[in-house]
Amino acid sequence: MKKAVGLCLIIFLMLWASVVYADVIHLRDGGTIEGEIIEETKDIVKVKTTYGVISLQKNQIASTEKRVTDEKIYKKRASKIKPNDPEAHYQLGLFCIKKRLNDYAIKELEAVLRLKPEHIDASYYLGIAYERKEKYKKALGKFEEVLKQNPFYSARDKDRFFNLLKKAKESENYFEVHSYLGNAYERQGKHEEALAAWERVIDTCFESTEEERERARRHLRILHKKIPPNKNPAKANVWDMFIAIVRKTDFTWVDKEGVVKHVAVSLTDKQIDAIRSSMMDFAQWVFEHSRGQMRINLKFKAIDEPISKISTSRGKYMLKPEDMRNSIIKLYKQGEADTLAIFWNSGDIPLAHGGYCFSHGSARKNASVFLCAILPKFDIVSRTFNVARHEWLHNLDSAITNILKYKKELFPDIHHPPASYKGYSKDLFYEDMMKTWVTSKMWQEATIIDVITAPFIRNWLVCGPFDNSKKNGLATDFIYEEHVKPSLGKVSNGKRWKELKSAKDNIDLRKSFKPNNYVVAYAHTYIYSPKEERARLWIGNDDGARVWLNGRLIRESPAPGGARPWEELIPIILKKGWNRLLVKVDQLGKGWGFYARICDNRSKEIKGLKYQLNRPQEMK
C-alpha cells in the first residue's frame, strides 16, 4: 500500500514538474521580476515578461525560482471541456478574465455566445476582454448588447462597468464610440455622463459629419432640460473684457463739397451709466446661456482724452483702435483682457459702412477689439447690449477656431445661420448656438490671450526604458500607471526611478536612457496646490503620449511627430493638496521628449504651486 501511494506521489510530482513554469527573478535591490528566461550569457540574462523583454546583468540577480503558469493551467482545463458545454466554457472564460489571459478569455466567451447567444454575462465579460485588448468598437458593441437585454444589468457592478466605458471612449476619435456611450448612459439615467459623451461627438470626433453633430445636438437639447446649469460663478471660465468709454469727440473734417465741418459731442454721465448697466446685462446673458460655464469679467474705464483723429474709408469715416493708440496704451496692457471694447459718441460724422460697429481682431496682440458708435437715433441700452452680444460672438469664434484650432465648421456663421435654424429669431439662434454648438470643453478652454507666462516643469522623476519594438508600448501598462506613487530610487518593473533635471524647457529623454530607439519611458512629478484650482496643462510630445492626473487618463495622443510647447491645452482641476502628474512618451524614431507646464485660465503662473520629486508624507 505504501509503495502504491509512493508511486502515485512520484507520478504526480513528475506530472507537476512537466508543467511550464514562470521564472521569478529576485533582485539584489529587493525587487522581483516575473517572466521566462529566454537567453543567458556570461554576463546577461534576458527575461520575457508580459511587458516585453528585459535584459539584466547577472550581478543584479540574487536568486531565481519556478512557479506554475496560469496559461498552462488554462490549457489543461481546456483539454477536458466538452465542445458543446456553454457553462464550462463560461467558467473557463471567467478564469481567463481573472488571470488577464485576454486572448483565451475572448476564445472561450465567444464559444459561449455561439452556443448560447442570449448569455448576458458572457457578453459583458467578453466586452471587458475586448476593452483590455483595446478593441474598443467591439467592446462597446458587447456592452450595447448587454444594455439592450437589460438596461439595469450593470447595477451589480456599476462603477467598473462605466469606468470601462469611459476608458474605452477617452482616446477614441470616432462617432460610433461616443454615440454608443451616450445612449448607454441615457438608458441608465446617468444624464451628466451622457451629456459629456454627446459633447465629445462635437469637440473630439474631428471626422464626424454635420449630420452626426446635429444628432448629438438633439440629445444635448433633451439632456439640458434634465441637468441644472452651474450657478456658481467661481466654477466658470473667465473672459476678461476691458471697456473704454470715451467721453468726448472733437473732430474736424472736410466734406465732399469742400466745406469744413466740426463736431464736438460728449457722452453724459447718464449715458455712461446706461452703457455700464447694459454691459452688465450682457455679461449675465453670457453666463446664463453658456449654462454657467463662462463668466464675463468687466473692467470699465472712462477716457477723458477726446477723439480727434478718425481714419477714412472710401470717403467716409471709421474709428479704428490705432486712432486712439496713445490714450488706450496708457490704460490697457498687453494680455490684460480677451476683449477690448470701445464706446464713443459719433455725433453726425458720416460713418463708413461698418463704422457704426465693427470688430478688429489684430488691433492689439492677444485681444479682440470691437468699437461701437453711440448715435442719437438708437436706444443706448438696447444698442449697447445687441452690439456687445453680436461682436463678442465673433470674438468667441476667433477663440475657438484661431486660438484653440477647432475646425471652422464647428462654429456657425452668425450672419448666415444653418438651414436647421430657419424660422428661428436671432435671439433663439444665438442662445441655442451657445448651448449646443459650444461644448463644456470649449467653454473651459476659450480665451483670446495666447501669451503663456507660466514656467515649464523641468525637474522630473523618470523611469525606463521599456520595450516598444512592436509599437504597442504606449498601450502597455508597465508600472501600474493609475496607482504608481514613485520616489527617487524606487524600482518599478525592474527599472529604477531617477531624477532628470533639464536645463531647457524641453525634456529630452534620449539623453537619459539607453537604448533610446523604439522604447517608452515615464516621467512623474508631485504638484502641491494650496486650494482646489481650475487650471490648464499645456503639453507637447515626441512621439506619442499618454498623460494621467491623479490616476485619471486625461490625454492620449498616439500620433508620431515632433514636440511643440503649445501642442495641446488640457483643462484640469488640481485638488487641494498634493496631485500626481504622470507622462508616458514612446519613441518611434529620431527625437524623443516632451514639454509640460501648468497655468491658470488666463495663461499665467499659478501662485503657490510647488513641485516635488519624492512622494509626500501626506500621500498614502
Side-chain angles (χ1 to χ4, degrees):
M1 183 66 181
K2 289 182 178 179
K3 287 183 178 180
V5 173
L7 181 60
C8 291
L9 180 60
I10 290 170
I11 292 171
F12 172 78
L13 291 173
M14 289 175 66
L15 289 172
W16 186 256
S18 68
V19 175
V20 175
Y21 286 87
D23 299 307
V24 181
I25 295 92
H26 296 275
L27 304 177
R28 294 186 184 279
D29 63 9
T32 60
I33 296 174
E34 294 188 18
E36 179 187 356
I37 295 177
I38 58 173
E39 184 179 339
E40 188 171 352
T41 66
K42 181 180 178 181
D43 301 313
I44 299 294
V45 174
K46 289 188 177 181
V47 183
K48 182 180 179 181
T49 74
T50 55
Y51 304 117
V53 176
I54 297 174
S55 295
L56 298 170
Q57 296 286 337
K58 277 193 172 180
N59 58 14
Q60 292 179 274
I61 300 173
S63 63
T64 60
E65 61 176 298
K66 302 289 186 178
R67 290 180 185 170
V68 68
T69 65
D70 293 327
E71 182 178 8
K72 189 62 180 180
I73 296 173
Y74 160 75
K75 289 181 177 179
K76 186 175 181 180
R77 288 180 59 178
S79 67
K80 298 179 179 180
I81 288 180
K82 294 179 180 179
N84 296 324
D85 186 345
E87 185 59 27
H89 282 293
Y90 175 66
Q91 292 301 327
L92 189 52
L94 289 186
F95 169 80
C96 294
I97 286 288
K98 182 178 179 181
K99 300 299 183 180
R100 303 190 77 86
L101 299 173
N102 298 313
D103 289 326
Y104 294 126
I106 290 171
K107 177 183 176 181
E108 296 302 326
L109 295 169
E110 285 180 342
V112 175
L113 293 173
R114 282 195 298 271
L115 297 168
K116 195 174 180 180
E118 72 279 7
H119 199 303
I120 189 170
D121 293 326
S123 293
Y124 172 67
Y125 286 109
L126 182 56
I128 291 177
Y130 281 143
E131 186 273 337
R132 289 176 178 174
K133 296 294 290 183
E134 299 190 32
K135 297 180 179 180
Y136 293 143
K137 278 192 176 182
K138 287 187 174 182
L140 267 293
K142 288 300 169 187
F143 294 150
E144 183 80 352
E145 289 176 16
V146 169
L147 292 174
K148 284 180 180 177
Q149 289 188 62
N150 181 0
F152 301 99
Y153 172 84
S154 67
R156 67 174 190 175
D157 197 11
K158 190 182 302 181
D159 292 339
R160 182 177 182 186
F161 187 88
F162 281 104
N163 284 337
L164 286 169
L165 287 173
K166 286 181 182 179
K167 185 176 179 182
K169 65 95 179 176
E170 283 289 347
S171 62
E172 294 307 309
N173 182 22
Y174 46 79
F175 169 77
E176 291 90 343
V177 167
H178 299 288
S179 61
Y180 272 139
L181 186 59
N183 283 322
Y185 279 134
E186 286 189 69
R187 288 192 183 97
Q188 293 289 321
K190 298 177 76 68
H191 301 134
E192 291 185 2
E193 290 85 348
L195 182 78
W198 286 114
E199 285 190 333
R200 295 299 80 75
V201 172
I202 296 170
D203 60 33
T204 301
C205 298
F206 301 122
E207 302 305 319
S208 62
T209 65
E210 177 54 30
E211 181 181 352
E212 290 169 340
R213 291 193 292 270
E214 182 53 36
R215 177 181 166 188
R217 293 185 200 109
R218 289 196 293 270
H219 283 270
L220 295 182
R221 293 180 186 109
I222 295 170
L223 290 165
H224 284 158
K225 296 176 181 178
K226 301 177 180 180
I227 303 171
N230 170 48
K231 298 291 187 181
N232 183 358
K235 294 183 177 180
N237 188 11
V238 179
W239 185 287
D240 286 316
M241 183 176 285
F242 186 98
I243 301 169
I245 304 174
V246 186
R247 291 183 183 275
K248 299 178 181 179
T249 302
D250 190 349
F251 180 63
T252 301
W253 74 99
V254 179
D255 66 14
K256 293 181 179 179
E257 285 73 35
V259 178
V260 176
K261 297 289 185 75
H262 177 257
V263 66
V265 291
S266 300
L267 288 172
T268 65
D269 289 341
K270 185 176 180 180
Q271 288 176 315
I272 292 174
D273 288 342
I275 292 172
R276 289 174 182 268
S277 176
S278 188
M279 288 302 294
M280 287 188 284
D281 290 342
F282 154 73
Q284 181 58 39
W285 180 86
V286 171
F287 186 77
E288 177 182 349
H289 294 294
S290 67
R291 293 181 52 81
Q293 297 183 88
M294 176 63 77
R295 174 168 62 87
I296 303 294
N297 182 37
L298 300 173
K299 182 179 179 180
F300 295 93
K301 187 67 179 180
I303 298 178
D304 293 321
E305 184 176 333
I307 293 172
S308 57
K309 176 187 175 184
I310 303 177
S311 299
T312 57
S313 177
R314 298 180 180 179
K316 292 190 176 182
Y317 295 91
M318 177 181 287
L319 182 67
K320 296 183 177 180
E322 49 264 37
D323 297 330
M324 303 178 59
R325 186 168 301 278
N326 291 335
S327 57
I328 292 295
I329 286 177
K330 293 176 184 176
L331 300 171
Y332 172 79
K333 296 178 181 179
Q334 179 177 323
E336 186 178 6
D338 296 280
T339 296
L340 170 61
I342 301 172
F343 291 87
W344 66 295
N345 190 337
S346 61
D348 58 359
I349 299 171
L351 298 178
H353 177 71
Y356 301 101
C357 176
F358 80 106
S359 292
H360 196 295
S362 60
R364 293 281 297 173
K365 188 176 181 181
N366 305 308
S368 285
V369 180
F370 71 78
L371 300 97
C372 176
I374 301 300
L375 300 161
K377 63 180 181 180
F378 292 130
D379 174 68
I380 193 169
V381 173
S382 61
R383 174 161 175 76
T384 299
F385 177 85
N386 290 328
V387 165
R389 182 178 63 172
H390 181 90
E391 299 305 328
W392 180 78
L393 287 173
H394 281 304
N395 294 173
L396 182 62
D397 182 2
S398 179
I400 290 172
T401 58
N402 296 335
I403 302 299
L404 301 178
K405 306 300 182 185
Y406 286 98
K407 293 195 301 184
K408 289 284 186 183
E409 54 264 37
L410 294 188
F411 199 92
D413 182 347
I414 63 175
H415 293 287
H416 303 95
S420 58
Y421 288 95
K422 185 177 181 181
Y424 275 59
S425 68
K426 182 184 289 186
D427 288 346
L428 289 177
F429 166 54
Y430 285 170
E431 291 166 9
D432 188 72
M433 178 187 69
M434 291 179 68
K435 292 174 181 175
T436 64
W437 287 69
V438 187
T439 67
S440 302
K441 183 173 184 286
M442 292 175 175
W443 282 122
Q444 289 301 321
E445 293 175 347
T447 183
I448 291 293
I449 300 171
D450 62 352
V451 170
I452 309 166
T453 59
F456 287 91
I457 307 171
R458 292 184 172 187
N459 293 351
W460 296 83
L461 277 183
V462 294
C463 183
F466 297 96
D467 181 61
N468 191 33
S469 57
K470 295 182 180 179
K471 300 183 181 180
N472 64 350
L474 198 62
T476 303
D477 186 347
F478 293 101
I479 62 166
Y480 207 31
E481 293 160 342
E482 294 180 359
H483 302 279
V484 67
K485 297 174 183 176
S487 291
L488 185 64
K490 185 178 179 180
V491 176
S492 292
N493 192 21
K495 303 290 184 179
R496 193 178 301 279
W497 288 89
K498 60 183 181 180
E499 182 178 4
L500 192 165
K501 191 173 184 178
S502 178
K504 298 181 179 180
D505 296 333
N506 177 46
I507 306 303
D508 188 348
L509 296 173
R510 289 184 67 89
K511 294 180 179 180
S512 297
F513 295 109
K514 298 292 182 182
N516 54 23
N517 284 310
Y518 290 91
V519 290
V520 297
Y522 295 90
H524 185 280
T525 187
Y526 296 97
I527 307 164
Y528 178 82
S529 177
K531 62 178 181 178
E532 182 176 294
E533 184 87 48
R534 285 187 174 272
R536 294 174 173 182
L537 170 65
W538 285 93
I539 196 86
N541 46 275
D542 180 3
D543 287 291
R546 282 185 171 184
V547 182
W548 293 261
L549 179 65
N550 294 324
R552 185 175 73 87
L553 184 67
I554 59 172
R555 167 178 163 80
E556 182 166 16
S557 174
R564 296 173 297 171
W566 57 88
E567 188 168 329
E568 184 166 346
L569 180 157
I570 308 169
I572 60 173
I573 298 178
L574 294 172
K575 64 183 183 181
K576 182 179 180 180
W578 288 103
N579 299 261
R580 298 179 288 121
L581 179 63
L582 177 69
V583 179
K584 180 182 185 181
V585 187
D586 71 356
Q587 203 282 336
L588 298 171
K590 297 184 179 179
W592 185 28
F594 68 97
Y595 293 89
R597 57 178 163 181
I598 293 174
C599 60
D600 66 13
N601 283 346
R602 313 309 308 146
S603 298
K604 302 292 191 298
E605 181 177 2
I606 300 174
K607 294 182 179 179
L609 284 195
K610 295 189 294 185
Y611 299 89
Q612 128 174 357
L613 300 185
N614 288 319
R615 180 175 174 175
Q617 292 183 350
E618 303 93 315
M619 185 171 283
K620 296 181 180 180

